[in-house]
Amino acid sequence: MQDAALISYEEAMAWPLSQGANVVGRDSACDLKLLDQRGLSRRHCLIFWEEGEASVSDLGSMNGTLLNGRLLYGWRPLQHGDVLTLGARRFVFRMHAVPHGLRGPDAIAMAVNNPISLDPGLLDCLNVA
């Protein structure tokens, strides 16, 4: 079974995705809880991950969800290396990303040692060039 995660290089953190629906937002009932975040709605977006394939949809958030810098409408497939912007935060979607629960420098070291191919403009927006 493949693993997937959202990686925040800015915060040196990884959020593993579960098989099936993953609601992302500020609400304590969300699967991926991102508390106290500017511009993030209570239920911001939904990432569906199953059998090695992922898709994402905005859940009517106030500020919208950006996929690779473009406002997201409806369901869109997620590819390894795609950048999601949720409020003021940017995440890279990774397959085979990190072992469940790995955080901090170890998570970033693993991500860096398994580099992804990103458009140089996306690297600029992540401040990791």
Side-chain angles (χ1 to χ4, degrees):
M1 183 184 310
Q2 290 182 319
D3 292 326
L6 293 182
I7 306 289
S8 169
Y9 288 92
E10 298 156 328
E11 297 172 82
M13 292 182 75
W15 288 265
L17 297 173
S18 300
Q19 290 286 314
N22 294 268
V23 177
V24 182
R26 292 185 287 116
D27 193 285
S28 62
C30 288
D31 302 296
L32 280 75
K33 297 168 204 63
L34 306 174
L35 304 175
D36 300 324
Q37 297 302 317
R38 282 183 305 125
L40 191 71
S41 294
R42 286 185 186 99
R43 292 174 40 90
H44 199 95
C45 70
L46 175 65
I47 299 172
F48 194 82
W49 167 250
E50 192 165 74
E51 297 181 15
E53 294 191 15
S55 56
V56 61
S57 180
D58 186 78
L59 293 175
S61 66
M62 181 66 74
N63 294 310
T65 298
L66 300 180
L67 176 59
N68 297 326
R70 295 190 173 166
L71 194 57
L72 183 65
Y73 294 101
W75 284 97
R76 292 291 179 263
L78 274 175
Q79 304 296 320
H80 182 75
D82 280 348
V83 176
L84 280 176
T85 304
L86 311 173
R89 295 170 80 173
R90 291 179 192 90
F91 301 90
V92 176
F93 173 73
R94 296 202 33 116
M95 291 187 210
H96 308 289
V98 294
H100 191 73
L102 189 61
R103 294 178 162 244
D106 292 335
I108 296 307
M110 178 166 262
V112 168
N113 290 329
N114 297 295
I116 54 177
S117 236
L118 289 179
D119 178 286
L122 294 178
L123 287 175
D124 289 342
C125 83
L126 285 169
N127 297 317
V128 295

